[in-house]
Structure formats: C-alpha cells, structure tokens
Amino acid sequence: MATVEKLPMLAEGYDKLTESLRRLKAERPEIVDAIEEARAHGDLSENAEYHAAKERQGQIEASIADIEDRLSRAQIIDPTSLSGDKVIFGATVTLLDEDEKPVKYQIVGQTEADAKVGRISYNSPLGRALIGRQVEDEVEVSVPSGDRYYLVSKIEFI
C-alpha cells in the first residue's frame, strides 16, 4: 500500500489554501446557473457560452480536488517552535552571495513560495541545496543562468 506523503506548510499557507477552497466552492452555484442559462439558448453543439461554462466547471472541480488533497496531507509547521543548527523547513537563512551581499530566504512550502518576498520552496533548486546545511557551509546551486555560490551566514527560526 502506498504511503501518503505529507506536505509541510506554514499556518499562513494552510489558511490561504482554505480561503481558495472556500471561494471555489462559492463559485460552484454560479457556474451551474451559467450552464442552465446557456442550455436554455438552444443548440448546444454551437453554443460557446455553454462550452465555456462547462470548461470553467471542470477547472473549478479539478482545483477543488487538488486543494482538498493538499489540505488533507498538510503538515502545519510553526517555525518559532523549531531550533537547531541546520537548515530545515521553516528556517530563515541569511546567505552571502559571491559579492558578499546578504540575501535572506525562508524555506517554505510550494504554495507559499514567493522569491520576491524572500520565501523559497523547499523543493526549489536553492531550497534543496540549503536543507541540512549549517552556518559557514558553502552552497553551490545550478540555475538556468549558471552556477551560483552562497555562504550560509545565519540560520534563524522566526
């Protein structure tokens, strides 16, 4: 029997997914109404409104199933309850790049990742390279623009 893989995420990411699920479920009746209205217009084979509404219904149902699956496998992690000297999920890591400029990233779940605000997924190339590292470790990451090198200067659990 297959084991169910847990999805680590912060409480904020869980709340965001829950809100998305609520919005999608609220949209269901509107889509059913749109399908009924389009159906009333007659010939379904050439009815663009009907086909668009049916396609949107399929997208909503697929999204709902995906989000429900993620929520059922969610493992909520509170970074403030963690500690240690290694980079793990939830850690905030300060790195020095090749120019000795500090960059700060928090290791988060896929749904919470946003590099613009300093949150990277544990599954991203940099996230995978950082997991398990300690202060003063050098990290090499292959990215589309070439290899990048970083030095782990600080690990925090905030």
Side-chain angles (χ1 to χ4, degrees), residues 32-65:
V32 170
D33 291 345
I35 290 170
E36 289 301 318
E37 184 179 323
R39 200 178 265 158
H41 292 169
D43 184 13
L44 298 180
S45 65
E46 295 181 15
N47 188 331
E49 288 175 7
Y50 174 78
H51 293 290
K54 287 297 280 184
E55 185 175 323
R56 179 66 184 141
Q57 183 182 38
Q59 292 170 341
I60 287 173
E61 294 304 323
S63 294
I64 287 173

Side-chain angles (χ1 to χ4, degrees), residues 20-120:
S20 294
L21 182 63
R22 188 196 62 72
R23 275 196 319 275
L24 288 169
K25 285 186 172 183
E27 195 175 332
R28 273 177 167 165
E30 297 169 19
I31 293 297
V32 170
D33 291 345
I35 290 170
E36 289 301 318
E37 184 179 323
R39 200 178 265 158
H41 292 169
D43 184 13
L44 298 180
S45 65
E46 295 181 15
N47 188 331
E49 288 175 7
Y50 174 78
H51 293 290
K54 287 297 280 184
E55 185 175 323
R56 179 66 184 141
Q57 183 182 38
Q59 292 170 341
I60 287 173
E61 294 304 323
S63 294
I64 287 173
D66 179 54
I67 291 172
E68 285 177 338
D69 172 60
R70 288 180 189 203
L71 289 174
S72 72
R73 296 184 298 132
Q75 178 182 4
I76 300 172
I77 295 175
D78 178 9
T80 59
S81 68
L82 304 172
S83 63
D85 60 352
K86 290 188 178 191
V87 177
I88 57 174
F89 182 93
T92 300
V93 185
T94 303
L95 305 169
L96 296 177
D97 65 12
E98 294 156 351
D99 301 325
E100 297 288 316
K101 279 195 311 197
V103 289
K104 196 177 216 179
Y105 292 113
Q106 183 178 26
I107 311 295
V108 297
Q110 293 167 311
T111 56
E112 304 150 305
D114 184 355
K116 292 183 197 100
V117 293
R119 293 179 151 202
I120 58 170

